[in-house]
């Protein structure tokens, strides 16, 4: 499929998920079950296979992609912090929105878009970008733990033992050590990974709820402009400075234009931040990204 067909297919599956909730075929609570299947089974299988079969001879450049993610995320977070501080938002609202501005949905939405448009070679680069977002998530967890208190075990469980991250590490090790998998294991992983993309899109559709955006519309609009327009522009300058070219450059800029990550809501819930503000940012950026990502693909 070309880029138009890929985006259109993704949009249709998201709409199907949204329609299923509106028609009571599925409940919004079912999103949790779908997400667990995706995060603990399907996505790790997809990532492991991708890493295992990838050409990692250019792994230094892949590490640079991770650095770009962290850099762009931090710049976006700082911009949002200054904006919300000037506007006089409470610390709970401020940090909830900063998390949404910093973390990218580079996995849940970034994987299917990148895979559909650029194939497995693009997905490898998307995975390394997502590693940067995971590092930012871990950093936020430690920071909020210090700021608001909590248990270090929760950070370890949600971050270091995060199944997709483990799949990256194991996939790279198996690749570099040339560990044979036989014929059965790749077949099983292939079947499981095939479920990842449609389940992700259905889950996104199920989770869409436009009712909560009204209260935080100005704030969510600011974050949407930052994440979907300004962030990829920042990435354009950063990749130029670091010398990324070709597919490395293209995928990195595309991933930098992804909406707010669902993991930012996990942080908001865990540390009792302003969940409504965080949710509004996630929903608005996700909804608008369907348009902006299509335009971004055309531009880059």
């Amino acid at each position: 499929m070309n880029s138009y067909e890929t985006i259109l297919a993704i949009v249709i599956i998201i709409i199907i998920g949204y329609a299923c909730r509106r028609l009571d075929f599925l409940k919004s609570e079912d999103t949790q079950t779908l997400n667990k299947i995706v995060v603990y089974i399907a996505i790790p299988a997809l990532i492991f296979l991708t890493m295992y079969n990838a050409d990692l001879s250019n792994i230094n450049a892949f590490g640079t992609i991770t650095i770009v993610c962290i850099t762009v995320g931090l710049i976006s977070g700082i911009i949002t912090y200054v904006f919300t501080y000037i506007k006089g938002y409470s610390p709970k609202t401020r940090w909830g929105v900063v998390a949404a501005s910093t973390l990218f949905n580079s996995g849940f939405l970034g994987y299917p878009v990148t895979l559909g448009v650029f194939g497995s070679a693009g997905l490898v680069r998307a995975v390394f970008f997502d590693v940067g977002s995971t590092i930012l998530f871990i950093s936020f967890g430690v920071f909020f733990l210090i700021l608001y208190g909590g248990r270090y075990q929760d950070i370890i469980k949600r971050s270091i033992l995060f199944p997709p991250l483990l799949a990256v590490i194991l996939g790279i090790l198996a690749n570099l050590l040339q560990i044979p998998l036989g014929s059965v294991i790749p077949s099983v992983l292939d079947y499981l990974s095939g479920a990842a993309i449609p389940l992700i899109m259905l889950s996104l559709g199920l989770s869409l709820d436009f009712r909560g955006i009204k209260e935080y519309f100005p704030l969510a609009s600011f974050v949407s402009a930052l994440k979907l327009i300004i962030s990829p522009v920042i990435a354009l300058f950063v990749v130029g400075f670091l010398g990324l070219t070709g597919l490395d450059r293209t995928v990195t800029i595309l991933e930098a234009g992804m909406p707010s990550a669902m993991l930012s809501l996990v942080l908001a819930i865990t540390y009792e931040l302003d969940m409504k503000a965080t949710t509004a940012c996630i929903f608005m950026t996700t909804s608008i990204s369907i348009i902006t990502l299509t335009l971004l693909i055309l531009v880059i």
Side-chain angles (χ1 to χ4, degrees):
M1 292 192 294
N2 58 38
S3 58
Y4 307 103
E5 293 171 337
T6 298
I7 296 295
L8 181 59
I10 289 173
V11 171
I12 290 174
I13 298 175
I14 292 175
I15 292 174
I16 290 174
Y18 181 74
C20 285
R21 183 171 66 83
R22 296 291 295 176
L23 296 172
D24 283 334
F25 294 153
L26 294 171
K27 306 291 184 181
S28 57
E29 305 84 58
D30 294 331
T31 303
Q32 296 182 7
T33 301
L34 289 178
N35 286 347
K36 286 181 179 179
I37 295 173
V38 169
V39 171
Y40 289 95
I41 301 175
I43 280 292
L46 176 63
I47 292 175
F48 181 88
L49 275 183
T50 301
M51 292 295 101
Y52 183 76
N53 295 316
D55 178 5
L56 298 180
S57 59
N58 198 26
I59 196 167
N60 289 335
F62 296 159
T64 304
I65 293 174
T66 301
I67 293 173
V68 174
C69 172
I70 295 172
T71 303
V72 176
L74 288 176
I75 293 174
S76 299
I78 291 170
I79 292 173
T80 299
Y81 182 89
V82 172
F83 174 81
T84 52
Y85 182 83
I86 292 175
K87 290 293 184 179
Y89 286 100
S90 68
K92 292 284 188 178
T93 299
R94 186 184 311 142
W95 285 117
V97 176
V98 167
S101 300
T102 304
L103 302 180
F104 302 89
N105 196 344
S106 46
F108 253 49
L109 188 57
Y111 288 174
V113 171
T114 306
L115 179 62
V117 177
F118 300 107
S120 58
L123 181 60
V124 171
R125 289 153 175 84
V127 169
F128 277 92
F129 188 97
D130 193 43
V131 168
S133 195
T134 302
I135 292 173
L136 288 171
F137 172 73
I138 295 172
S139 301
F140 264 119
V142 174
F143 175 73
F144 289 146
L145 189 66
I146 296 171
L147 195 63
Y148 297 112
R151 299 194 312 159
Y152 286 98
Q153 295 92 325
D154 293 336
I155 298 299
I156 295 174
K157 183 178 179 180
R158 289 195 173 115
S159 306
I160 299 176
L161 300 179
F162 191 49
L165 182 59
L166 291 177
V168 173
I169 297 171
L170 293 175
I172 292 175
L173 288 176
N175 183 318
L176 296 177
L177 297 176
Q178 297 183 340
I179 298 175
L181 299 180
S183 58
V184 176
I185 293 178
S187 296
V188 172
L189 293 176
D190 191 49
Y191 281 123
L192 292 175
S193 64
I197 305 307
L199 287 181
I200 288 172
M201 296 300 97
L202 286 174
S203 177
L204 284 175
L206 279 174
S207 64
L208 288 178
D209 187 350
F210 303 97
R211 293 172 296 180
I213 294 179
K214 185 177 180 180
E215 182 180 354
Y216 289 98
F217 184 81
L219 190 54
S221 298
F222 171 82
V223 174
S224 296
L226 176 64
K227 292 292 292 179
L228 305 178
I229 300 174
I230 299 175
S231 180
V233 173
I234 295 173
L236 177 64
F237 287 101
V238 176
V239 297
F241 177 77
L242 294 177
L244 290 181
T245 59
L247 191 59
D248 294 338
R249 171 187 179 275
T250 303
V251 171
T252 301
I253 295 174
L254 177 61
E255 287 286 318
M258 292 295 158
S260 300
M262 300 293 184
L263 284 176
S264 58
L265 185 58
V266 173
L267 291 171
I269 293 172
T270 302
Y271 298 100
E272 298 181 353
L273 307 178
D274 191 334
M275 289 186 294
K276 290 184 178 180
T278 305
T279 301
C281 294
I282 293 172
F283 287 154
M284 182 174 283
T285 56
T286 301
S287 302
I288 300 176
S289 69
I290 295 171
I291 299 172
T292 58
L293 288 174
T294 304
L295 296 175
L296 185 58
I297 290 171
L298 293 175
V299 172
I300 60 176

